[in-house]
Amino acid sequence: MSQPILVGEAINSGYGKFQVLFDVSFNVYENEILVVVGPNGSGKSTLLKTVFGLTTIYSGSIIYKGREVTGLPPHVKARIGIAYLPQTDNVFSELTVRENLMMAAYTLDESEAKDRVEEVLNLYPVLRDRLMYKAKSLSGGERQMLALAMTLVRRPDIIMLDEPTANLAPVVARHLLKKISMLRDEMNKTVILVEQNARAALELGDRALLMVSGRVSYEGFARDLLKDVDLGKRYLGLR
Ligand code: ADP
């Protein structure tokens, strides 16, 4: 296995004084998909937000590419290659698809922005047919694809996705998950995926983190967790 690109060490974090994560440690290896599963309210989203700098960290550390990044604000994390895609409000609904993509590329000079937008349109050709449509007119699946495309415009190394398939029809969700595995297989990205469909997530992911009540209950191969009848039944609704 390659080097960890991201390490969490004994993290305690939350919102103001409300602690959500307790002593959370994990490794994320280069070019893997780490899936984060667990019951509702167990701290999965908070884990992503903590890595990105959107929570209060009381203690512990976050190491990215060997460098301590614990207290860095989100815009700096984004600049050094960490992307975070929130579950909702991740596109500008009143702007067109093209405008959204150009917004994502706003820090780049014009020709580079155009190249990168072209690159993501090749990846998600369905968006090319919708360039002049407002984001609010897209289907749920297309909107998540646009959000993903906006993230990719900045060429991050590690992409954190918070329940991208929430509220999507099963067939659309499966299609999106396939696109997410392409990030690893064809673009060499590292992905942390929070997913409510535990079975689909564990089939897709290389390794898994099971969160229960703000603590890590399992870290290891995703397929081993899928086979663990006890944990699966108790926390993931698997049979
Ligand atoms: P999960 O993603 O596993 O469903 P979350 O990380 O969203 O869990 O939530 C964990 C806990 O943190 C819950 O008790 C939730 O109410 C609380 N929480 C989430 N977001 C906030 C926030 N912005 N402010 C205060 N508490 C929050």
Side-chain angles (χ1 to χ4, degrees):
M1 201 173 269
S2 53
Q3 286 297 310
I5 182 171
L6 184 77
V7 179
E9 280 175 0
I11 299 169
N12 288 284
S13 71
Y15 304 93
K17 285 187 183 152
F18 182 64
Q19 182 164 358
V20 176
L21 299 187
F22 297 85
D23 222 17
V24 166
S25 297
F26 57 88
N27 288 323
V28 188
Y29 294 92
E30 256 178 70
N31 197 213
E32 76 168 352
I33 297 179
L34 175 73
V35 292
V36 184
V37 293
N40 257 339
S42 59
K44 303 181 298 295
S45 295
T46 303
L47 176 72
L48 300 190
K49 288 188 211 161
T50 295
V51 170
F52 203 54
L54 295 166
T55 61
T56 310
I57 300 177
Y58 317 122
S59 64
S61 42
I62 300 164
I63 317 285
Y64 173 64
K65 295 185 175 173
R67 170 184 165 201
E68 163 123 35
V69 299
T70 315
L72 298 182
H75 69 276
V76 179
K77 299 256 174 68
R79 204 186 307 140
I80 60 178
I82 302 175
Y84 164 64
L85 197 58
Q87 192 178 346
T88 53
D89 299 328
N90 49 23
V91 300
F92 301 101
S93 44
E94 293 298 330
L95 300 183
T96 65
V97 168
R98 179 187 288 285
E99 287 164 345
N100 266 283
L101 291 169
M102 291 312 280
M103 284 291 275
Y106 83 105
T107 53
L108 309 170
D109 69 48
E110 204 179 317
S111 76
E112 184 160 33
K114 281 202 174 128
D115 285 354
R116 293 209 192 174
V117 167
E118 199 51 35
E119 184 180 287
V120 296
L121 289 174
N122 288 336
L123 211 60
Y124 302 129
V126 63
L127 295 177
R128 199 185 286 284
D129 305 329
R130 304 275 189 279
L131 277 174
M132 298 308 164
Y133 288 64
K134 283 193 178 176
K136 67 178 177 191
S137 73
L138 301 178
S139 69
E142 289 166 350
R143 209 172 309 159
Q144 289 297 23
M145 212 96 82
L146 173 59
L148 205 50
M150 289 169 71
T151 301
L152 289 174
V153 162
R154 286 169 235 145
R155 290 201 186 139
D157 295 320
I158 175 160
I159 303 166
M160 301 191 290
L161 304 167
D162 194 353
E163 296 201 12
T165 67
N167 306 319
L168 298 181
V171 55
V172 181
R174 268 199 299 279
H175 180 65
L176 190 68
L177 290 177
K178 205 173 281 170
K179 293 279 178 192
I180 291 167
S181 62
M182 282 170 59
L183 298 176
R184 171 194 59 195
D185 301 336
E186 293 175 26
M187 302 179 72
N188 286 318
K189 304 289 184 195
T190 304
V191 177
I192 308 179
L193 173 68
V194 169
E195 178 57 55
Q196 90 282 11
N197 182 339
R199 182 174 297 281
L202 293 173
E203 282 170 356
L204 175 85
D206 299 292
R207 289 189 326 111
L209 208 60
L210 170 63
M211 300 291 301
V212 178
S213 306
R215 297 175 189 273
V216 176
S217 284
Y218 173 93
E219 179 181 4
F221 289 114
R223 60 176 176 273
D224 291 345
L225 182 54
L226 199 54
K227 282 187 285 195
D228 190 315
V229 177
D230 183 40
L231 287 179
K233 202 152 71 178
R234 193 139 35 124
Y235 298 119
L236 301 171
L238 299 174
R239 287 189 297 142

